[in-house]
Amino acid sequence: MKISIITAVYKSAETVGQAISSVAGQSHRDIEHLIIEGASGDDTLAAIEAAAHDRMVVKSEPDKGIYDALNKGIRQATGDVVGLVHADDYLAHGDVLADIALAFDDPQVEAVYGDLDYVSKNDTSRVIRHWSSGSYHGDQLAQGWMPPHPTLYLRRSVFDQIGVYDTRYRIAADYDFILRYFSETRAQPVYLPQVLVKMRVGGESNRSLGRVIKKSREDYAALRQNQVGGIGTLLRKNASKIGQFRMK
């Protein structure tokens, strides 16, 4: 079972090395790691080279944003399964991809996902928010449910069937894609009840109030476009995050 991991990188010299190392250290060895670097112009390429491993391919050129970069990686991927490890994230333990590959041994499985920890940017041992997504049932999309996007692994054939990320969305193309896939598929996704990914807080969608507002507007547009729900769904989606925060 070959797994293609895509890492879109732009000006992430401080964190991309850990993302790469978390992939290189996986017990599942049949992988390709596609690094799509957006011509950062800082020390990012040097950090990538310092962490390089023998199953990694680097493409460095300007892009039109993270979803454009991810689409480049998807089109280049040769694996049976495709997943993402963002430049600010890392896989939670060394058997993540082995556990995912085992789930895909069933040829009927199209999608596998799990849980995610948001961690402090300056102290990754400190969990700020724990996202336990739970098993999926068909009516949950309209209730605001979604899996943590960085934990979602899909068969390569899914992208052939429904396309890639819609770059008209600058922040919420992942949510649009999830709505598109989960509202169309008849296959039952597999939920792994474990933390698969650690994500530093302060990412593209939540680094400022303005970005949060823009994200909500794009989420609403995606809901309407995919005919899944409206303002009520968006409110439930946002409200579901409250219980995920860990107060210490």
Side-chain angles (χ1 to χ4, degrees), residues 1-247:
M1 175 69 63
K2 183 177 182 180
I3 300 178
S4 296
I5 299 294
I6 301 167
T7 299
V9 188
Y10 185 71
K11 293 187 176 180
S12 299
E14 294 183 0
T15 59
V16 68
Q18 186 176 20
I20 293 171
S21 296
S22 76
V23 176
Q26 291 294 301
S27 59
H28 182 80
R29 307 303 291 174
D30 191 5
I31 64 173
E32 67 175 356
H33 193 181
L34 304 170
I35 309 292
I36 312 300
E37 197 277 326
S40 302
D42 60 1
D43 294 331
T44 297
L45 268 178
I48 291 170
E49 292 170 0
H53 58 89
D54 60 1
R55 288 154 295 155
M56 191 175 91
V57 177
V58 179
K59 183 173 187 177
S60 180
E61 63 182 20
D63 56 52
K64 298 177 182 178
I66 186 171
Y67 298 114
D68 180 46
L70 293 177
N71 287 344
K72 289 180 182 181
I74 291 166
R75 295 184 180 108
Q76 189 175 336
T78 62
D80 308 290
V81 170
V82 177
L84 312 176
V85 175
H86 295 313
D88 289 340
D89 305 346
Y90 57 97
L91 297 174
H93 58 79
D95 293 325
V96 167
L97 297 186
D99 293 343
I100 289 169
L102 183 62
F104 277 109
D105 279 347
D106 182 346
Q108 300 302 311
V109 172
E110 288 184 349
V112 175
Y113 65 94
D115 299 336
L116 180 146
D117 278 345
Y118 286 88
V119 297
S120 169
K121 182 177 181 179
N122 299 318
D123 178 8
T124 57
S125 67
R126 181 179 169 227
V127 177
I128 305 296
R129 175 180 159 200
H130 174 67
W131 186 346
S132 180
S133 46
S135 299
Y136 171 70
H137 305 287
D139 62 346
Q140 286 177 290
L141 286 180
Q143 301 303 313
W145 178 91
M146 67 175 290
H149 180 238
T151 75
L152 179 62
Y153 285 72
L154 297 165
R155 288 199 187 272
R156 179 67 181 79
S157 57
V158 168
F159 296 98
D160 296 331
Q161 294 166 6
I162 70 169
V164 293
Y165 296 101
D166 186 343
T167 56
R168 291 176 297 178
Y169 295 97
R170 301 299 296 173
I171 302 178
D174 52 347
Y175 188 43
D176 168 69
F177 180 87
I178 285 169
L179 293 173
R180 200 184 335 148
Y181 170 69
F182 281 89
S183 64
E184 292 183 13
T185 186
R186 296 184 179 182
Q188 180 63 36
V190 171
Y191 166 57
L192 299 181
Q194 60 172 285
V195 174
L196 301 181
V197 175
K198 302 277 190 174
M199 171 185 281
R200 290 174 176 82
V201 295
E204 184 66 19
S205 63
N206 59 23
R207 67 188 182 194
S208 69
L209 178 60
R211 301 298 278 185
V212 170
I213 293 172
K214 181 173 175 58
K215 174 71 162 61
S216 292
R217 288 173 175 168
E218 289 196 4
D219 282 351
Y220 179 75
L223 284 165
R224 301 303 293 168
Q225 178 171 310
N226 290 281
Q227 299 181 331
V228 171
I231 191 66
T233 301
L234 179 62
L235 291 173
R236 286 188 288 270
K237 175 178 180 288
N238 290 336
S240 69
K241 300 175 183 178
I242 297 173
Q244 298 171 0
F245 286 90
R246 293 188 172 183
M247 311 301 285

